[in-house]
Amino acid sequence: MRPQSPKGSRVPDAKTQPTQDWTNHILRIRNQDQVAFKELFAHFAPRVKGFLIKSGADEALADECTQEVMATIWRKSEMFDPSRAGVSTWIFTIARNRKIDMLRKRRRPEPEDLPWGPEAEPDAEDSFVMQQESQRLGEAIRALPEKQRQLVEKAYFGDLTHSEIAEETGLPLGTIKSRIRLALDRLRHQMK
């Protein structure tokens, strides 16, 4: 039996309650509206944490990741494009990407033996060959299509992860990966 409200009418369950559109909250957050962020945080933070735990994260990782996701929403709310996705889709995509990034960082091995002291100077011939290769690579990068070149520069010279590039540019992660892959194929071909 469903719970009854004081007046005898049925209390709406989760299936009959209308889904709230959080777009206005994101727009308000862009203007540093702390009340809108608090409401969005109260709604999404427990759901993001639950999503992360269900997808295999331990409690500590889920807590840390949830905090980073919510901080990202506060700092990068201007990246949200309502014509591309709903607020919840955007938030859970950030959460999934952040979890992947955090797991990769945890698994990244630490360098065990760092060489101490100055490295041996390359001889003049090796130095000349490296300089020529660097020039050829620079020319090949400049010859890439603009969209590919920008992503390669962000990934390799800006030292950004694919997820960070997605957050910065608003492009889907798959688009970023395929453009970078195509660019690297072109560069390999050019450098042969």
Coordinates of all heavy atoms in Angstrom, one line a residue, residues 3-76:
P3 N 2.0 5.2 0.7 CA 1.7 6.1 1.8 C 0.7 7.2 1.3 O 0.7 7.6 0.2 CB 3.1 6.8 2.1 CG 4.0 6.3 1.1 CD 3.3 5.2 0.3
Q4 N -0.1 7.6 2.2 CA -1.1 8.7 1.9 C -0.7 10.0 2.5 O -0.1 10.1 3.6 CB -2.5 8.3 2.5 CG -3.0 6.9 2.0 CD -3.5 7.1 0.6 OE1 -4.1 8.0 0.2 NE2 -3.1 6.1 -0.2
S5 N -1.0 11.1 1.8 CA -0.7 12.4 2.4 C -1.8 12.7 3.4 O -2.9 12.0 3.4 CB -0.7 13.4 1.3 OG -2.0 13.6 0.8
P6 N -1.7 13.7 4.2 CA -2.7 14.0 5.2 C -4.1 14.2 4.6 O -5.1 13.9 5.2 CB -2.2 15.3 5.9 CG -0.7 15.3 5.6 CD -0.5 14.6 4.3
K7 N -4.2 14.7 3.4 CA -5.5 14.9 2.8 C -6.1 13.7 2.1 O -7.1 13.8 1.4 CB -5.4 16.1 1.8 CG -5.1 17.4 2.5 CD -5.1 18.5 1.5 CE -4.8 19.8 2.2 NZ -4.7 21.0 1.3
G8 N -5.3 12.6 2.1 CA -5.8 11.4 1.5 C -5.3 11.2 0.1 O -5.6 10.1 -0.5
S9 N -4.7 12.1 -0.5 CA -4.2 11.9 -1.9 C -2.9 11.2 -1.8 O -2.2 11.1 -0.8 CB -4.0 13.3 -2.6 OG -3.0 14.0 -1.9
R10 N -2.6 10.5 -3.0 CA -1.4 9.7 -3.0 C -0.1 10.6 -3.0 O -0.1 11.6 -3.6 CB -1.4 8.8 -4.3 CG -2.5 7.8 -4.2 CD -2.6 7.0 -5.4 NE -1.3 6.3 -5.7 CZ -1.2 5.5 -6.7 NH1 -2.2 5.2 -7.5 NH2 0.0 4.9 -7.0
V11 N 0.9 10.1 -2.3 CA 2.2 10.7 -2.4 C 2.9 10.2 -3.6 O 3.0 9.0 -3.8 CB 3.0 10.4 -1.1 CG1 4.4 10.9 -1.2 CG2 2.3 10.8 0.1
P12 N 3.4 11.1 -4.4 CA 4.1 10.7 -5.6 C 5.3 9.9 -5.3 O 6.1 10.2 -4.4 CB 4.5 11.9 -6.4 CG 4.3 13.0 -5.4 CD 3.5 12.6 -4.3
D13 N 5.5 8.7 -6.0 CA 6.7 8.0 -5.8 C 7.8 8.4 -6.8 O 7.5 9.4 -7.6 CB 6.5 6.5 -5.9 CG 6.0 6.0 -7.3 OD1 6.1 6.8 -8.3 OD2 5.5 4.9 -7.4
A14 N 9.0 7.8 -6.8 CA 10.1 8.3 -7.7 C 9.7 8.2 -9.1 O 10.2 9.0 -9.9 CB 11.3 7.4 -7.4
K15 N 8.8 7.3 -9.5 CA 8.5 7.1 -10.9 C 7.5 8.2 -11.4 O 7.5 8.6 -12.6 CB 7.9 5.8 -11.2 CG 8.9 4.6 -11.0 CD 8.3 3.3 -11.3 CE 9.3 2.2 -11.0 NZ 8.7 0.9 -11.1
T16 N 6.7 8.7 -10.5 CA 5.7 9.7 -10.9 C 6.2 11.1 -10.6 O 5.5 12.1 -11.1 CB 4.4 9.5 -10.2 OG1 4.6 9.5 -8.8 CG2 3.8 8.1 -10.6
Q17 N 7.2 11.3 -9.8 CA 7.7 12.7 -9.6 C 8.4 13.2 -10.8 O 9.1 12.5 -11.5 CB 8.7 12.7 -8.4 CG 8.1 12.6 -7.1 CD 9.1 12.7 -6.0 OE1 10.3 12.3 -6.1 NE2 8.7 13.3 -4.9
P18 N 8.1 14.4 -11.2 CA 8.8 15.0 -12.3 C 10.3 15.2 -12.1 O 10.7 15.4 -11.0 CB 8.1 16.4 -12.5 CG 7.6 16.7 -11.2 CD 7.3 15.4 -10.5
T19 N 11.0 15.0 -13.1 CA 12.5 15.1 -13.1 C 12.8 16.6 -13.1 O 12.3 17.4 -13.9 CB 13.2 14.5 -14.3 OG1 12.8 13.1 -14.3 CG2 14.7 14.6 -14.2
Q20 N 13.6 17.1 -12.1 CA 13.9 18.5 -12.0 C 15.0 18.8 -13.1 O 15.9 18.1 -13.3 CB 14.5 18.8 -10.7 CG 14.8 20.3 -10.5 CD 15.2 20.7 -9.1 OE1 15.1 19.9 -8.2 NE2 15.6 21.9 -8.9
D21 N 14.8 19.9 -13.8 CA 15.7 20.4 -14.7 C 16.7 21.3 -14.0 O 16.4 22.3 -13.4 CB 15.1 21.2 -15.8 CG 16.0 21.7 -16.9 OD1 17.2 21.3 -16.9 OD2 15.6 22.6 -17.7
W22 N 18.0 20.9 -13.9 CA 19.0 21.5 -13.2 C 19.8 22.6 -14.0 O 20.7 23.2 -13.5 CB 20.0 20.5 -12.6 CG 19.3 19.6 -11.6 CD1 18.7 18.4 -11.8 CD2 19.2 19.9 -10.2 NE1 18.2 17.9 -10.6 CE2 18.5 18.8 -9.6 CE3 19.6 21.0 -9.4 CZ2 18.2 18.8 -8.2 CZ3 19.3 20.9 -8.0 CH2 18.6 19.8 -7.5
T23 N 19.4 22.8 -15.2 CA 20.1 23.7 -16.1 C 20.2 25.1 -15.5 O 21.2 25.8 -15.5 CB 19.4 23.8 -17.5 OG1 19.4 22.5 -18.0 CG2 20.2 24.7 -18.4
N24 N 19.1 25.6 -14.9 CA 19.0 26.9 -14.3 C 20.1 27.0 -13.2 O 20.7 28.0 -13.0 CB 17.6 27.2 -13.8 CG 17.5 28.7 -13.4 OD1 18.0 29.6 -14.0 ND2 16.9 28.9 -12.2
H25 N 20.2 25.9 -12.4 CA 21.2 25.9 -11.3 C 22.6 26.1 -11.9 O 23.4 26.9 -11.3 CB 21.1 24.6 -10.5 CG 20.0 24.6 -9.6 ND1 18.7 24.5 -9.9 CD2 20.0 24.6 -8.2 CE1 17.9 24.5 -8.8 NE2 18.7 24.5 -7.8
I26 N 22.9 25.4 -13.0 CA 24.2 25.5 -13.6 C 24.5 27.0 -14.0 O 25.5 27.5 -13.8 CB 24.4 24.5 -14.7 CG1 24.4 23.1 -14.2 CG2 25.7 24.8 -15.5 CD1 25.5 22.7 -13.3
L27 N 23.4 27.5 -14.6 CA 23.6 28.9 -15.1 C 23.8 29.9 -13.9 O 24.6 30.8 -14.0 CB 22.3 29.3 -15.9 CG 22.1 28.5 -17.2 CD1 20.8 28.9 -17.8 CD2 23.2 28.6 -18.2
R28 N 23.1 29.6 -12.8 CA 23.3 30.4 -11.6 C 24.7 30.2 -11.0 O 25.3 31.2 -10.5 CB 22.2 30.1 -10.6 CG 20.8 30.7 -11.0 CD 19.7 30.2 -10.2 NE 19.9 30.2 -8.8 CZ 19.3 29.5 -7.9 NH1 18.4 28.6 -8.3 NH2 19.5 29.5 -6.6
I29 N 25.2 29.0 -11.1 CA 26.5 28.7 -10.5 C 27.6 29.4 -11.3 O 28.6 29.9 -10.8 CB 26.8 27.1 -10.5 CG1 25.8 26.5 -9.5 CG2 28.2 26.8 -10.3 CD1 25.8 25.0 -9.6
R30 N 27.3 29.6 -12.6 CA 28.3 30.4 -13.4 C 28.5 31.8 -12.9 O 29.5 32.4 -13.0 CB 27.8 30.5 -14.9 CG 27.9 29.2 -15.6 CD 27.4 29.4 -17.0 NE 27.4 28.1 -17.7 CZ 26.9 27.8 -18.9 NH1 26.3 28.8 -19.5 NH2 27.0 26.7 -19.4
N31 N 27.4 32.3 -12.2 CA 27.5 33.6 -11.6 C 27.9 33.5 -10.1 O 27.6 34.4 -9.3 CB 26.2 34.3 -11.7 CG 25.9 34.6 -13.2 OD1 26.8 35.0 -13.9 ND2 24.6 34.5 -13.6
Q32 N 28.5 32.4 -9.7 CA 29.0 32.2 -8.3 C 27.8 32.1 -7.3 O 28.0 32.6 -6.2 CB 30.0 33.2 -7.9 CG 31.2 33.3 -8.9 CD 32.0 32.1 -9.0 OE1 32.6 31.7 -8.0 NE2 32.1 31.5 -10.1
D33 N 26.7 31.6 -7.7 CA 25.5 31.6 -6.8 C 25.7 30.3 -5.9 O 25.6 29.2 -6.3 CB 24.2 31.4 -7.7 CG 23.0 31.4 -6.8 OD1 23.0 31.0 -5.6 OD2 21.9 31.9 -7.3
Q34 N 26.0 30.6 -4.6 CA 26.3 29.6 -3.7 C 25.1 28.8 -3.3 O 25.2 27.6 -3.0 CB 27.0 30.1 -2.5 CG 28.4 30.7 -2.8 CD 29.1 31.2 -1.6 OE1 28.6 31.2 -0.5 NE2 30.3 31.8 -1.8
V35 N 23.9 29.4 -3.3 CA 22.7 28.7 -2.9 C 22.4 27.7 -4.0 O 22.1 26.5 -3.7 CB 21.5 29.7 -2.8 CG1 20.2 29.0 -2.6 CG2 21.8 30.6 -1.6
A36 N 22.5 28.0 -5.3 CA 22.3 27.1 -6.4 C 23.3 25.9 -6.3 O 22.9 24.8 -6.5 CB 22.4 27.8 -7.7
F37 N 24.5 26.2 -6.0 CA 25.5 25.2 -5.8 C 25.2 24.3 -4.7 O 25.3 23.0 -4.8 CB 26.9 25.8 -5.7 CG 28.0 24.7 -5.6 CD1 28.3 24.0 -6.7 CD2 28.6 24.4 -4.4 CE1 29.3 23.0 -6.7 CE2 29.6 23.4 -4.3 CZ 29.9 22.7 -5.5
K38 N 24.8 24.8 -3.6 CA 24.4 24.0 -2.4 C 23.3 23.1 -2.7 O 23.3 21.9 -2.3 CB 24.1 24.9 -1.2 CG 23.7 24.2 0.1 CD 23.4 25.2 1.2 CE 23.0 24.5 2.4 NZ 22.6 25.4 3.5
E39 N 22.3 23.6 -3.4 CA 21.1 22.7 -3.8 C 21.6 21.6 -4.7 O 21.2 20.4 -4.6 CB 20.0 23.6 -4.4 CG 19.4 24.5 -3.4 CD 18.4 25.5 -4.1 OE1 18.3 25.5 -5.3 OE2 17.8 26.3 -3.4
L40 N 22.4 22.0 -5.7 CA 22.9 21.0 -6.7 C 23.8 20.0 -6.0 O 23.7 18.8 -6.3 CB 23.6 21.7 -7.8 CG 24.1 20.8 -9.0 CD1 23.4 21.3 -10.3 CD2 25.5 20.8 -9.1
F41 N 24.6 20.4 -5.1 CA 25.5 19.5 -4.4 C 24.7 18.6 -3.5 O 25.0 17.4 -3.5 CB 26.4 20.4 -3.4 CG 27.5 19.6 -2.8 CD1 28.8 19.6 -3.3 CD2 27.2 18.8 -1.6 CE1 29.8 18.8 -2.7 CE2 28.2 18.1 -1.0 CZ 29.5 18.1 -1.5
A42 N 23.7 19.1 -2.8 CA 22.9 18.2 -1.9 C 22.2 17.1 -2.8 O 22.0 16.0 -2.3 CB 21.8 19.0 -1.2
H43 N 21.8 17.4 -4.0 CA 21.1 16.4 -4.8 C 22.1 15.5 -5.5 O 21.9 14.3 -5.4 CB 20.3 17.2 -5.9 CG 19.6 16.2 -6.8 ND1 18.4 15.6 -6.5 CD2 19.9 15.8 -8.1 CE1 18.0 14.8 -7.5 NE2 18.9 14.9 -8.4
F44 N 23.2 16.0 -6.1 CA 24.0 15.1 -6.9 C 25.2 14.5 -6.1 O 25.6 13.4 -6.5 CB 24.6 15.9 -8.1 CG 23.6 16.1 -9.2 CD1 22.9 17.3 -9.4 CD2 23.4 15.0 -10.1 CE1 22.0 17.4 -10.4 CE2 22.5 15.2 -11.1 CZ 21.8 16.4 -11.3
A45 N 25.7 15.1 -5.1 CA 26.9 14.5 -4.4 C 26.6 13.0 -4.0 O 27.4 12.1 -4.3 CB 27.4 15.3 -3.3
P46 N 25.5 12.8 -3.3 CA 25.3 11.4 -2.8 C 25.0 10.4 -4.0 O 25.4 9.3 -4.0 CB 24.0 11.4 -2.0 CG 23.6 12.9 -1.9 CD 24.5 13.7 -2.7
R47 N 24.4 10.9 -5.1 CA 24.2 10.1 -6.3 C 25.5 9.8 -7.0 O 25.7 8.7 -7.5 CB 23.2 10.8 -7.2 CG 21.8 10.8 -6.6 CD 20.8 11.8 -7.3 NE 19.5 11.6 -6.9 CZ 19.0 12.2 -5.8 NH1 19.8 12.9 -5.0 NH2 17.7 12.0 -5.5
V48 N 26.4 10.8 -7.1 CA 27.7 10.6 -7.7 C 28.5 9.6 -6.9 O 29.0 8.6 -7.5 CB 28.4 11.9 -7.9 CG1 29.9 11.7 -8.2 CG2 27.8 12.8 -8.9
K49 N 28.5 9.7 -5.6 CA 29.2 8.8 -4.7 C 28.7 7.4 -4.9 O 29.4 6.4 -5.1 CB 29.1 9.2 -3.3 CG 29.9 8.3 -2.4 CD 29.9 8.7 -0.9 CE 30.6 7.7 0.0 NZ 30.5 8.1 1.4
G50 N 27.3 7.2 -4.9 CA 26.7 5.9 -5.1 C 27.1 5.3 -6.5 O 27.4 4.1 -6.6
F51 N 27.1 6.1 -7.5 CA 27.4 5.7 -8.8 C 28.9 5.2 -8.9 O 29.2 4.1 -9.5 CB 27.2 6.9 -9.8 CG 27.9 6.7 -11.1 CD1 27.4 5.9 -12.1 CD2 29.1 7.4 -11.4 CE1 28.0 5.7 -13.3 CE2 29.7 7.3 -12.6 CZ 29.2 6.4 -13.6
L52 N 29.8 5.9 -8.2 CA 31.2 5.5 -8.2 C 31.4 4.2 -7.5 O 32.1 3.4 -7.9 CB 32.0 6.6 -7.6 CG 32.1 7.9 -8.4 CD1 32.7 9.1 -7.6 CD2 32.8 7.7 -9.7
I53 N 30.7 4.1 -6.3 CA 30.8 2.8 -5.6 C 30.2 1.6 -6.4 O 30.9 0.6 -6.4 CB 30.1 3.0 -4.2 CG1 31.0 3.9 -3.3 CG2 30.0 1.6 -3.5 CD1 30.4 4.3 -2.0
K54 N 29.1 1.8 -7.0 CA 28.5 0.8 -7.8 C 29.4 0.4 -9.0 O 29.4 -0.7 -9.5 CB 27.1 1.2 -8.4 CG 26.1 1.1 -7.3 CD 24.7 1.5 -7.9 CE 23.7 1.6 -6.8 NZ 22.4 2.2 -7.3
S55 N 30.2 1.4 -9.5 CA 31.1 1.1 -10.6 C 32.5 0.6 -10.2 O 33.4 0.6 -11.0 CB 31.2 2.3 -11.5 OG 31.9 3.4 -10.8
G56 N 32.6 0.2 -8.9 CA 33.8 -0.4 -8.4 C 34.8 0.4 -7.6 O 35.8 -0.1 -7.2
A57 N 34.5 1.6 -7.3 CA 35.4 2.4 -6.5 C 35.2 2.1 -5.0 O 34.1 1.8 -4.6 CB 35.1 3.9 -6.7
D58 N 36.3 2.1 -4.3 CA 36.2 2.0 -2.8 C 35.6 3.2 -2.2 O 35.6 4.3 -2.9 CB 37.5 1.5 -2.2 CG 38.6 2.5 -2.4 OD1 38.4 3.7 -2.3 OD2 39.8 2.0 -2.6
E59 N 35.3 3.2 -0.9 CA 34.7 4.3 -0.3 C 35.6 5.6 -0.3 O 35.1 6.7 -0.6 CB 34.4 4.0 1.2 CG 33.7 5.0 2.0 CD 32.2 4.9 2.0 OE1 31.7 3.8 1.7 OE2 31.6 5.9 2.4
A60 N 36.9 5.4 0.0 CA 37.8 6.5 0.0 C 37.9 7.2 -1.4 O 37.9 8.4 -1.5 CB 39.2 6.1 0.5
L61 N 38.1 6.3 -2.4 CA 38.2 6.9 -3.8 C 36.9 7.6 -4.2 O 36.9 8.7 -4.8 CB 38.5 5.8 -4.8 CG 38.5 6.2 -6.3 CD1 39.7 7.1 -6.5 CD2 38.6 5.0 -7.2
A62 N 35.7 7.0 -3.8 CA 34.4 7.6 -4.2 C 34.3 8.9 -3.5 O 33.8 9.9 -4.1 CB 33.3 6.6 -3.8
D63 N 34.7 9.0 -2.2 CA 34.6 10.3 -1.5 C 35.5 11.4 -2.2 O 35.0 12.5 -2.4 CB 35.0 10.2 0.0 CG 33.9 9.6 0.8 OD1 32.7 9.7 0.5 OD2 34.3 9.0 1.9
E64 N 36.7 11.0 -2.4 CA 37.7 12.0 -3.0 C 37.2 12.4 -4.4 O 37.2 13.6 -4.7 CB 39.1 11.3 -3.1 CG 40.1 12.2 -3.6 CD 41.5 11.5 -3.7 OE1 41.7 10.4 -3.2 OE2 42.4 12.2 -4.2
C65 N 36.8 11.4 -5.2 CA 36.3 11.7 -6.5 C 35.1 12.6 -6.5 O 35.0 13.5 -7.3 CB 36.1 10.4 -7.2 SG 35.9 10.5 -9.0
T66 N 34.2 12.3 -5.7 CA 32.9 13.1 -5.6 C 33.3 14.5 -5.3 O 32.7 15.5 -5.9 CB 32.0 12.5 -4.5 OG1 31.6 11.2 -4.9 CG2 30.7 13.4 -4.4
Q67 N 34.2 14.8 -4.3 CA 34.6 16.1 -4.0 C 35.2 16.8 -5.2 O 34.9 18.0 -5.5 CB 35.6 16.1 -2.8 CG 34.9 15.7 -1.5 CD 33.8 16.7 -1.1 OE1 34.0 17.9 -1.2 NE2 32.7 16.2 -0.6
E68 N 36.0 16.1 -5.9 CA 36.7 16.7 -7.1 C 35.6 17.0 -8.2 O 35.7 18.0 -8.9 CB 37.7 15.8 -7.7 CG 39.0 15.8 -6.9 CD 40.2 15.4 -7.7 OE1 40.2 15.5 -8.9 OE2 41.2 14.9 -7.0
V69 N 34.6 16.1 -8.4 CA 33.6 16.3 -9.4 C 32.8 17.6 -9.0 O 32.6 18.5 -9.9 CB 32.6 15.1 -9.4 CG1 31.4 15.5 -10.2 CG2 33.4 13.9 -10.0
M70 N 32.4 17.7 -7.7 CA 31.6 18.9 -7.4 C 32.5 20.2 -7.5 O 32.0 21.2 -7.9 CB 31.1 18.7 -5.9 CG 30.2 17.5 -5.8 SD 28.9 17.2 -7.1 CE 27.8 18.5 -6.7
A71 N 33.7 20.1 -7.1 CA 34.6 21.3 -7.3 C 34.8 21.6 -8.8 O 34.8 22.8 -9.1 CB 36.0 21.0 -6.7
T72 N 34.8 20.6 -9.6 CA 34.9 20.9 -11.1 C 33.6 21.6 -11.6 O 33.7 22.5 -12.4 CB 35.1 19.6 -11.8 OG1 36.3 19.0 -11.4 CG2 35.1 19.8 -13.3
I73 N 32.5 21.2 -11.1 CA 31.2 21.8 -11.5 C 31.3 23.3 -11.1 O 30.9 24.1 -11.8 CB 30.0 21.1 -10.8 CG1 29.9 19.7 -11.4 CG2 28.8 21.9 -11.0 CD1 29.0 18.7 -10.7
W74 N 31.8 23.6 -9.9 CA 31.8 25.0 -9.4 C 32.8 25.8 -10.3 O 32.5 26.9 -10.7 CB 32.3 25.0 -7.9 CG 32.4 26.4 -7.4 CD1 33.6 27.1 -7.2 CD2 31.4 27.3 -7.1 NE1 33.4 28.3 -6.7 CE2 32.0 28.5 -6.6 CE3 30.0 27.2 -7.0 CZ2 31.3 29.6 -6.2 CZ3 29.3 28.3 -6.6 CH2 29.9 29.5 -6.2
R75 N 34.0 25.2 -10.6 CA 35.0 26.0 -11.3 C 34.7 26.0 -12.8 O 35.1 27.0 -13.4 CB 36.4 25.3 -11.1 CG 37.0 25.5 -9.7 CD 38.4 25.0 -9.7 NE 38.7 23.8 -10.5 CZ 38.6 22.6 -10.0 NH1 38.3 22.3 -8.8 NH2 38.9 21.5 -10.8
K76 N 34.1 25.0 -13.3 CA 34.0 24.9 -14.8 C 32.5 24.8 -15.3 O 32.2 24.2 -16.3 CB 34.8 23.7 -15.3 CG 36.3 23.8 -15.0 CD 37.1 22.8 -15.6 CE 38.5 23.0 -15.3 NZ 39.4 22.2 -16.1

